[in-house]
Amino acid sequence: MTTIAPEQVNRIVWNQHHDPFEVLGAHLIEENGKNNRWAVRAYLPNASAVTVILPEERKEYPMETVHDPHFFECTIETKELVNYQFRVKEGEHERVIYDPYAFHSPKLTEFDLHLFGEGNHHRIYEKLGAHPTEVNGVAGVYFAVWAPNARNVSVIGDFNSWDGRKHQMRKGHTGIWELFVPGLGVGEHYKYEIKNIEGHIYEKSDPYGFQQEPRPKTASIVSDLDAYSWGDEDWLENRRHSDPLTQPISVYEMHLGSWLHASSGEPAKLPNGETEPVVTVSELNPGARFLTYRELAERLIPYVKELGYTHIEILPVAEHPFDGSWGYQVTGYYAPTSRYGKPEDFMYFVDQCHKNGIGVIVDWVPGHFPKDGHGLAFFDGTHLYEHADPRKGEHKEWGTLVFNYSRNEVRNFLVANALFWFDKYHIDGIRVDAVASMLYLDYCRKDGEWVTNQYGGRENLEAAEFLRQVNHIIFSYFPGIVSIAEESTAWPMVSWPTYTGGLGFNLKWNMGWMHDMLDYFSMDPWFRQFHQNNITFSMWYHHSENYMLALSHDEVVHGKSNIIGKMPGDRWQKFANVRCLFAYMFTHPGKKTMFMSMEFGQWSEWNVWSDLEWRLFQHEPHQQLKEFFKDLNHLYRSEPALYTQDFAKEGFEWIDCSDNRHSVVSFIRRDKDSDNFVVTVCNFTPQPHSHYRIGVPEIGFYTELFNSDARQYGGSNMGNLGGKWTDNWSFHNRPYSLDLCLPPLGVLVLKLDKEKTAEALANS
């Protein structure tokens, strides 16, 4: 005897029901004191026969087909009906499964839904997505996805032959669809099959998925991010009590996939003897494969540690479909790319960095996302994550879509994502890409292709408020981290705290300094005397923001040449110019970032498809340049005057910035916690000066700490024989002065030796 109408059965069979729990599962149809009467229903498209098993009672009840050959029903009299099973016969095969529609306990509480709806659920990634869990003592995976405008959503995967009829999800009143599927676990491949109101079907990766298949496949993979055992507790505790603005920050920016490759025939380093296939690069680099995160930990970390960098910055590590995007067109915001391994392998990489005293910064891309069909674009059959109006929702130049920051759930997706990388992967900072494209509604748009804000202006007020929210939240949870803005305009107070009206970053790339430096150093040294302002202008505005000096990947691609190729002169002068540029950079106020390959003078532009030119190390000038960077980083980290007051006016003063005739500048950097200071003198021409006088504030012996023209770096070895005593001769409005030998295209760093000076004065 059937207990259900044909119309309800058809809605399940045709996958048109927003709440399949109303039809499927166990339903109480008669209640009495001893035994209740239940109707148990199941829709199993491949089944020829189904039996209900009550394990505790050791009873089985055959089911009958109702209104459809694959819709089954039976009635059972028992006091309570929980954790029953189905014995399913499919052709010659038989299996026993739990009924997913017998598990009604949602993982999302009303409070979760309230917070998500207002955009303030900071750890929504612990609720949405796919989570291995237990319900009523039965292990399985809980799936939840936000798709408010979908007509139907199903979870599909290997476990149900990618058939959207088999695991139809239930829609809550907030537009979140959910289902617990018993019997599944870590490693399952899945997607969401989404039908819009017109019945069009979209197969989507999980926006909150923690792992994806290696490209070109696009399925999400169930993962457990809490299984890895971390060993960086001391690092995190020290970070929590530190102020990065008063610490040395020297960043090695890199792209994991093109730093170094292995032969496709070389076995990969994987944990526990695993034999999972590795990922080859592309047809553009046949025979090569990517190094795994664990192999990178083994090879990259010792290299960066030897050179003395404090941080590694990784171009976006979130999952992306196209290698040539460098990671900046993200489809899996919560999944580290599977090109290099599993989530726990990336955790291992970060853990090993911390154990070796190296911080990890990840590029983060909240400004736009690609149009790939499996991604966020038109997610539920409507413009859900992006603006519907292309004048606000599309970057035509990049072929990408713009997040709708005015929608609470979209903003929550991104805010929680920033927090996620600190929480689950212990990273130490984010570098937010293309901030200017977020802040301005007319960014790269012609007249008529953009719309104003509510006040008639071009500022994206929602994006600015979103950035404030992100920064406020991540610093609240994780003090001691860095949040860096790649922002190229004059938007005010980018690196000011949110309570002052700033955007809340604590560092901002100094794009003006970068352009001025590259323009200056690319010109013939004779003409530099007419462009002294390029060298000095940055100090007019430096203290308006907390600046990071960056020579990044963007400066060594698209026909711009690599750094050494930008330099004028013969080969010797090119290397000398590189040393001069970076020595000035490391002594100038501001934190430092430079891109991989600059440290050894790669001639060709960066190519994402191939290795860096490691073969250049067989030539002495490239070995010497690497030694130069090693010593430069050591100097920078060992002298607090070079980093403790980067953003305080007391930390810097010009000695002389007006000697354009010789293209020489000199300045003082002062320590925050002592009266120590260092003196830097830069000669930006190939003409040496044997008697060049500068004023200094104190009497004594000034040790030559660093000379970029030293023989071991490939220079001419002109210098000051270890240091100079002051002359009792006032100069540059200072009571004492030094008579120095300035090397060609050279930078000197000197420091008062107080012990030697005191001893000499005592004996005089």
Side-chain angles (χ1 to χ4, degrees):
M1 176 181 170
T2 180
T3 65
I4 190 153
E7 294 79 9
Q8 289 181 294
V9 173
N10 289 338
R11 288 180 69 189
I12 295 295
V13 171
W14 297 338
N15 196 357
Q16 292 180 345
H17 207 302
H18 74 283
D19 186 2
F21 283 84
E22 290 183 358
V23 177
L24 301 175
H27 297 265
L28 182 64
I29 57 176
E30 185 178 341
E31 189 173 4
N32 56 53
K34 186 175 181 181
N35 280 333
N36 298 323
R37 189 160 170 260
W38 304 81
V40 181
R41 309 185 193 110
Y43 177 53
L44 299 163
N46 297 329
S48 56
V50 182
T51 301
V52 178
I53 304 172
L54 303 186
E56 293 184 1
E57 298 182 13
R58 298 184 180 181
K59 292 182 180 180
E60 297 193 15
Y61 298 84
M63 304 183 77
E64 297 179 354
T65 58
V66 177
H67 306 308
D68 184 271
H70 303 292
F71 191 97
F72 300 87
E73 182 184 43
C74 73
T75 58
I76 298 173
E77 289 192 6
T78 184
K79 186 173 184 180
E80 191 174 21
L81 192 59
V82 294
N83 290 5
Y84 60 87
Q85 296 172 299
F86 292 139
R87 187 185 305 278
V88 183
K89 187 175 182 181
E90 297 169 331
E92 299 299 319
H93 302 282
E94 188 175 277
R95 60 194 178 109
V96 175
I97 62 172
Y98 284 99
D99 181 7
Y101 300 100
F103 299 89
H104 291 264
S105 302
K107 190 179 180 71
L108 285 152
T109 66
E110 285 297 322
F111 190 50
D112 290 325
L113 298 175
H114 170 76
L115 290 176
F116 182 59
E118 68 176 20
N120 286 320
H121 199 309
H122 302 161
R123 288 192 165 97
I124 190 63
Y125 50 84
E126 294 181 344
K127 299 300 178 79
L128 295 183
H131 299 274
T133 188
E134 282 191 6
V135 178
N136 298 337
V138 178
V141 175
Y142 172 83
F143 296 93
V145 62
W146 179 59
N149 303 305
R151 188 182 74 184
N152 301 93
V153 179
S154 300
V155 59
I156 56 177
D158 294 331
F159 51 88
N160 62 14
S161 303
W162 302 91
D163 188 338
R165 299 173 297 170
K166 294 182 178 180
H167 288 97
Q168 302 173 37
M169 305 178 77
R170 170 172 56 189
K171 182 182 182 181
H173 66 274
T174 59
I176 293 176
W177 301 75
E178 59 182 356
L179 183 67
F180 173 75
V181 182
L184 302 187
V186 171
E188 294 284 356
H189 293 58
Y190 72 99
K191 283 186 176 181
Y192 297 113
E193 180 187 277
I194 297 175
K195 285 185 181 179
N196 71 359
I197 199 68
E198 297 173 342
H200 299 159
I201 295 177
Y202 307 87
E203 291 188 0
K204 295 289 188 176
S205 303
D206 190 347
Y208 290 87
F210 295 151
Q211 185 181 355
Q212 285 191 9
E213 290 181 292
R215 52 74 174 136
K217 296 181 179 180
T218 57
S220 299
I221 302 174
V222 178
S223 298
D224 180 5
L225 299 188
D226 296 323
Y228 181 79
S229 179
W230 288 90
D232 62 349
E233 297 82 3
D234 291 343
W235 172 275
L236 296 180
E237 182 63 16
N238 290 334
R239 186 187 73 187
R240 192 169 72 87
H241 296 287
S242 69
D243 177 6
L245 299 184
T246 62
Q247 301 297 315
I249 296 180
S250 172
V251 179
Y252 186 77
E253 186 198 25
M254 64 166 306
H255 177 256
L256 291 177
S258 56
W259 185 74
L260 180 67
H261 296 106
S263 166
S264 59
E266 180 183 344
K269 185 177 181 63
L270 298 168
N272 305 322
E274 295 176 13
T275 58
E276 190 168 300
V278 295
V279 182
T280 55
V281 178
S282 74
E283 63 275 7
L284 297 175
N285 193 356
R289 69 163 176 83
F290 292 118
L291 296 178
T292 67
Y293 291 117
R294 292 176 183 266
E295 289 172 325
L296 285 160
E298 189 176 83
R299 302 189 190 189
L300 172 65
I301 292 173
Y303 179 79
V304 172
K305 186 176 182 179
E306 177 195 5
L307 284 167
Y309 292 96
T310 64
H311 292 72
I312 294 172
E313 179 184 328
I314 307 170
L315 270 60
V317 74
E319 192 61 82
H320 51 283
F322 178 49
D323 297 352
S325 76
W326 311 340
Y328 288 101
Q329 296 201 7
V330 177
T331 51
Y333 275 81
Y334 285 83
T337 178
S338 54
R339 287 167 176 79
Y340 319 122
K342 297 179 180 179
E344 56 266 32
D345 299 328
F346 184 56
M347 292 176 182
Y348 175 84
F349 174 83
V350 176
D351 204 10
Q352 291 302 307
C353 283
H354 289 171
K355 290 177 180 178
N356 284 274
I358 298 171
V360 178
I361 300 169
V362 171
D363 278 15
W364 188 51
V365 193
H368 61 114
F369 59 93
K371 300 177 181 178
D372 296 68
H374 66 283
L376 298 176
F378 215 63
F379 185 77
D380 64 354
T382 68
H383 297 283
L384 186 64
Y385 284 88
E386 70 273 21
H387 290 277
D389 187 340
R391 295 175 300 171
K392 297 179 70 175
E394 185 175 4
H395 279 306
K396 292 185 177 180
E397 184 179 14
W398 299 341
T400 56
L401 301 174
V402 180
F403 283 104
N404 184 351
Y405 306 108
S406 63
R407 182 167 284 160
N408 291 347
E409 296 88 349
V410 173
R411 197 169 62 252
N412 201 145
F413 171 81
L414 291 169
V415 170
N417 183 243
L419 191 70
F420 166 83
W421 289 99
F422 293 99
D423 179 21
K424 297 298 185 181
Y425 289 98
H426 293 200
I427 66 166
D428 303 284
I430 53 174
R431 201 264 325 184
V432 182
D433 180 64
V435 172
S437 74
M438 300 169 64
L439 291 175
Y440 295 97
L441 296 165
D442 63 343
Y443 186 87
C444 287
R445 292 184 175 93
K446 300 176 183 177
D447 290 343
E449 294 181 353
W450 62 282
V451 292
T452 65
N453 62 33
Q454 65 196 79
Y455 303 108
R458 65 191 189 103
E459 298 81 10
N460 190 332
L461 304 178
E462 291 86 1
E465 190 55 38
F466 157 71
L467 291 171
R468 292 187 184 100
Q469 183 184 6
V470 168
N471 286 316
H472 174 75
I473 288 171
I474 62 174
F475 284 115
S476 297
Y477 281 97
F478 299 102
I481 62 170
V482 294
S483 179
I484 309 163
E486 184 209 10
E487 206 287 310
S488 54
T489 73
W491 187 283
M493 302 190 297
V494 171
S495 59
W496 289 37
T498 55
Y499 61 78
T500 67
L503 293 184
F505 295 93
N506 57 356
L507 288 167
K508 171 184 173 175
W509 271 13
N510 193 335
M511 308 295 280
W513 177 90
M514 177 270 294
H515 287 297
D516 285 346
M517 290 304 101
L518 295 183
D519 288 347
Y520 184 84
F521 276 91
S522 64
M523 67 179 68
D524 185 287
W526 188 86
F527 291 101
R528 292 176 183 174
Q529 62 185 304
F530 307 113
H531 298 274
Q532 186 87 345
N533 188 56
N534 283 48
I535 289 294
T536 62
F537 181 64
S538 59
M539 291 313 301
W540 281 100
Y541 62 83
H542 177 77
H543 297 98
S544 64
E545 299 277 5
N546 300 330
Y547 280 116
M548 172 171 274
L549 311 182
L551 293 171
S552 73
H553 63 280
D554 282 327
E555 312 318 316
V556 295
V557 290
H558 303 322
K560 297 178 184 177
S561 177
N562 213 311
I563 289 295
I564 195 168
K566 301 177 192 290
M567 302 299 157
D570 58 22
R571 184 173 290 251
W572 186 93
Q573 289 192 23
K574 287 180 182 294
F575 277 95
N577 269 299
V578 169
R579 296 193 302 270
C580 194
L581 165 61
F582 281 100
Y584 179 57
M585 173 183 178
F586 273 69
T587 54
H588 186 288
K591 309 307 179 185
K592 330 296 177 187
T593 293
M594 56 178 286
F595 190 58
M596 64 181 190
S597 79
M598 294 179 184
E599 77 276 9
F600 61 85
Q602 177 166 307
W603 290 101
S604 64
E605 290 187 339
W606 169 47
N607 182 350
V608 72
W609 308 109
S610 63
D611 292 353
L612 301 186
E613 294 182 337
W614 299 109
R615 66 182 183 278
L616 292 176
F617 275 114
Q618 63 186 305
H619 304 294
E620 189 177 28
H622 298 279
Q623 298 172 17
Q624 292 170 326
L625 188 58
K626 178 189 172 186
E627 192 68 20
F628 163 81
F629 277 102
K630 179 179 176 181
D631 290 350
L632 184 61
N633 270 310
H634 175 75
L635 169 74
Y636 171 62
R637 298 178 67 169
S638 63
E639 291 299 328
L642 293 177
Y643 60 78
T644 56
Q645 293 202 97
D646 273 324
F647 312 113
K649 293 182 179 180
E650 297 78 14
F652 175 92
E653 61 180 282
W654 289 113
I655 295 174
D656 183 17
C657 62
S658 60
D659 187 7
N660 63 297
R661 187 167 65 91
H662 296 101
S663 296
V664 172
V665 297
S666 52
F667 53 89
I668 295 172
R669 297 293 309 280
R670 296 187 182 276
D671 183 14
K672 178 181 180 182
D673 301 316
S674 71
D675 57 357
N676 290 328
F677 63 92
V678 297
V679 173
T680 301
V681 188
C682 308
N683 176 17
F684 296 119
T685 72
Q687 176 63 49
H689 303 289
S690 56
H691 293 285
Y692 191 91
R693 187 169 295 277
I694 64 166
V696 290
E698 295 185 28
I699 191 172
F701 183 80
Y702 284 74
T703 301
E704 189 175 88
L705 295 178
F706 188 81
N707 182 347
S708 69
D709 189 53
R711 179 181 288 113
Q712 63 264 34
Y713 309 141
S716 63
N717 209 41
M718 292 186 68
N720 296 277
L721 301 176
K724 278 292 187 77
W725 286 96
T726 54
D727 294 321
N728 202 14
W729 182 353
S730 176
F731 205 71
H732 290 142
N733 293 319
R734 287 173 173 80
Y736 310 100
S737 59
L738 294 170
D739 181 11
L740 299 172
C741 173
L742 301 189
L745 292 170
V747 174
L748 302 177
V749 181
L750 304 107
K751 182 179 181 181
L752 178 65
D753 187 330
K754 295 184 178 181
E755 291 186 8
K756 188 172 185 178
T757 299
E759 182 179 347
L761 292 175
N763 295 330
S764 62

